[in-house]
Amino acid sequence: MTAGTAPDAGPAPAGPLAPPPFAVVGGAQVAAALAGREREIVELVADTYRLHGAGATVNPPSYFLRFPDRPASRIIALPASLGGDAPVDGLKWISSFPGNVAAGIPRASAVLILNDHDTGYPFAVLESSIISATRTAASAALAADLLTRDRARPLRIGFVGTGLIARYVHTFLAGTGWEFAEIGLHDLSPAGTDGFARYLARTGAPGRVTVHDDAGPLVRAGDLIVFATVAARPHVHDPDWFAHRPVVLHVSLRDLDPRILLDACNVVDDVEHCLKAETSPHLAEQLTGGRDFLDGTLDDVMSGRLRVPADRTVVFSPFGLGVLDLAVGGWVHDRVARDGGLRVVDDFFHERSRHG
């Protein structure tokens, strides 16, 4: 990978500089590079969390572009810099237009830009809705493993929201060795649950599938609950739904009433990022006036600084870090390059002299 600017990158190399070749990596290439690599990508995400915990990243706040005439839609910029053995800089530019779903196309679309270490020139742009879904699912699968190690391995899973992210989360769970006796599905759209059920049948996933008209019975019946909705504000308010102390992967961040979090062990990916933008953890901070309800980060769990209790509900709320996109995107770029599949745009940077 062309190196990226990072806190531990060291001095710039001596010698002449030149703009790197510029490549475009399309969605089909991204999907092919990632197919069947779930275990490898989960390890990559774990390593990236460790680097972030060690301060070897730059991960500024995300920037939200909102529209007065389309209040439900937004486009988000996630700039970041990743250190370590394969440092890289870049930017994910991802849109969320919920109205797309009714038209039969995915809610989210995205591109990822990777930048050269020595010159700052972009050296690749990648289709990134797949990369974004992949890093989200890999993070969820990692959390599911880490947060259930001191309790019986969950055999009953429930998905609240059955779109693309939920499908990727299940794919990564299955790809890292998980099997479930029961799979519960709930979505406001019957087409969503029907499509997810067809995906499960097509892939031969074991387990009895039950579609729930309401989220409550699904949550009460599950040992592992995945929230992957487009909810803009909490819609789950009853703490009694969680009396059986499940592990909750709160991927969509805004589903749970903050009072539910106050009864739980709360693990996040990054404290500062999660406590903003009206997420459920942010609402819990506003409600209590503090952050004592947060127990730690996933890196704290990996390092042993935090031991997750087996007798409480555990909620993992990942805001989603740009450094994860860089790690997965850089990995994809390198794999496509090794396979000889990079599509280079010749003379993309035309002005190569300061004075013509």
Side-chain angles (χ1 to χ4, degrees), residues 249-265:
L249 305 178
H250 190 205
V251 175
S252 39
L253 284 175
R254 295 173 177 83
D255 302 88
L256 302 181
D257 187 292
R259 290 169 295 182
I260 292 171
L261 300 188
L262 300 184
D263 283 340
C265 171

Side-chain angles (χ1 to χ4, degrees), residues 29 145 166 215 280 330 341:
Q29 289 180 297
D145 176 51
S280 295

Side-chain angles (χ1 to χ4, degrees), residues 50-334:
R50 292 186 185 100
L51 286 170
H52 186 65
T57 64
V58 179
N59 206 106
S62 303
Y63 298 91
F64 287 71
L65 176 62
R66 300 188 184 275
F67 314 99
D69 61 329
R70 293 158 288 168
S73 301
R74 63 185 187 267
I75 307 179
I76 311 171
L78 286 81
S81 179
L82 176 64
D85 295 333
V88 62
D89 307 331
L91 172 76
K92 180 172 76 170
W93 182 239
I94 182 167
S95 67
S96 174
F97 279 54
N100 288 351
V101 176
I105 60 176
R107 169 186 60 86
S109 58
V111 295
L112 177 68
I113 301 169
L114 303 179
N115 289 79
D116 177 62
H117 167 258
D118 298 327
T119 64
Y121 273 72
F123 65 86
V125 61
L126 300 88
E127 195 285 329
S128 198
S129 66
I130 296 171
I131 291 170
S132 186
T134 293
R135 62 85 151 149
T136 300
S139 172
L142 175 66
D145 176 51
L146 292 170
L147 302 179
T148 59
R149 289 187 176 180
D150 288 336
R151 61 176 69 197
R153 191 170 175 89
L155 294 175
R156 302 173 300 169
I157 189 171
F159 289 90
V160 180
T162 55
L164 181 142
I165 295 298
R167 171 165 62 86
Y168 268 77
V169 170
H170 182 272
T171 296
F172 266 79
L173 289 170
T176 51
W178 288 78
E179 291 187 356
F180 300 98
E182 298 180 23
I183 303 174
L185 308 178
H186 170 70
D187 198 292
L188 296 179
S189 167
T193 52
D194 289 347
F196 200 99
R198 289 196 302 271
Y199 149 76
L200 293 172
R202 186 173 65 251
T203 58
R208 180 168 62 91
V209 177
T210 302
V211 175
H212 295 266
D213 292 334
D214 298 306
L218 179 150
V219 172
R220 291 179 184 272
D223 309 311
L224 180 65
I225 313 298
V226 180
F227 284 92
T229 74
V230 294
R233 59 187 61 85
H235 58 96
V236 175
H237 301 283
D238 190 347
D240 288 342
W241 288 10
F242 303 87
H244 58 302
R245 303 183 300 275
V247 171
V248 180
L249 305 178
H250 190 205
V251 175
S252 39
L253 284 175
R254 295 173 177 83
D255 302 88
L256 302 181
D257 187 292
R259 290 169 295 182
I260 292 171
L261 300 188
L262 300 184
D263 283 340
C265 171
N266 290 283
V267 181
V268 299
D269 54 357
D270 180 277
V271 172
E272 295 299 331
H273 283 76
C274 281
L275 296 180
K276 63 179 59 175
E278 301 299 308
T279 64
S280 295
H282 187 202
L283 296 179
E285 180 188 34
Q286 294 173 345
L287 180 64
T288 63
R291 300 179 173 185
D292 290 344
F293 68 94
L294 290 180
D295 292 86
T297 67
L298 206 57
D299 179 60
D300 291 329
V301 178
M302 287 191 288
S303 69
R305 292 187 297 269
L306 171 63
R307 182 142 188 188
V308 177
D311 59 350
R312 295 178 64 196
T313 298
V314 179
V315 179
F316 175 56
S317 299
F319 194 83
L321 302 177
V323 289
L324 298 181
D325 296 283
L326 292 185
V328 175
W331 186 95
V332 168
H333 173 273
D334 287 359

